[in-house]
Amino acid sequence: MQQTMDRASASATPPATVTASTPTLSSGYQKVAAAPGTRLYFVNLRDGQTVSNPVKLVFGLSGMGVAPAGVEKAGTGHHHLLIDVAAWDANAPLPVSDQVRHFGMGQTETTLQLAPGTHTLQLVLGDQNHIPHHPVVASERITVTVK
Ligand SMILES: [Cu+2]
């Protein structure tokens, strides 16, 4: 899909389309609350960066903690990496796919092989059931160019 960008800065990646987060799911599930001011970010990558394989990603989280999937502990979650994902649902468990990687052991970094070309990357924190927090804790969506 081709998208035309009419922004002043050509390197700024458009944000993903995300459904508006609700504190409770239609099933009645109460989402885990995000701590105010929580920040999720790529420690070692920035938007527009050129990288080469293997691509190391370090996940930065401030304001909350990391816990493995399945562990219910207030103020925590585990990392999810969205690769080339332009839209996602904040009110459902994050799916498991090649494009949505779960770090359910509580990992805070990973190393990837990415096909040459441009890719978008975004981090999303999920609770013990892989459901985004309320409000959503997500990083900026960035674009990297793989040589
Ligand atoms: Cu998960």
Side-chain angles (χ1 to χ4, degrees):
M1 189 173 66
Q2 288 284 16
Q3 278 195 330
T4 307
M5 280 182 19
D6 55 5
R7 291 173 167 225
S9 167
S11 68
T13 302
T17 301
V18 183
T19 53
S21 177
T22 56
T24 307
L25 302 187
S26 53
S27 63
Y29 182 89
Q30 283 274 352
K31 282 191 190 170
V32 175
T38 298
R39 256 180 23 90
L40 183 55
Y41 54 96
F42 292 101
V43 172
N44 63 328
L45 292 175
R46 62 181 187 284
D47 197 18
Q49 190 166 339
T50 297
V51 296
S52 42
N53 283 310
V55 182
K56 184 176 181 178
L57 291 84
V58 180
F59 313 148
L61 176 65
S62 70
M64 290 181 69
V66 173
V71 174
E72 186 172 355
K73 191 176 172 204
T76 69
H78 65 275
H79 291 293
H80 301 82
L81 174 65
L82 278 51
I83 305 169
D84 298 326
V85 174
W88 46 277
D89 188 351
N91 300 315
L94 290 156
V96 178
S97 72
D98 275 355
Q99 286 180 268
V100 181
R101 312 275 179 96
H102 293 241
F103 296 89
M105 308 290 285
Q107 304 96 311
T108 58
E109 61 177 60
T110 193
T111 302
L112 296 177
Q113 292 286 336
L114 290 170
T118 63
H119 298 279
T120 67
L121 302 170
Q122 184 175 31
L123 294 170
V124 180
L125 201 65
D127 72 7
Q128 65 273 16
N129 296 310
H130 318 279
I131 295 168
H133 294 72
H134 182 76
V136 162
V137 176
S139 75
E140 177 193 6
R141 184 169 173 245
I142 67 170
T143 300
V144 295
T145 300
V146 180
K147 280 193 283 193

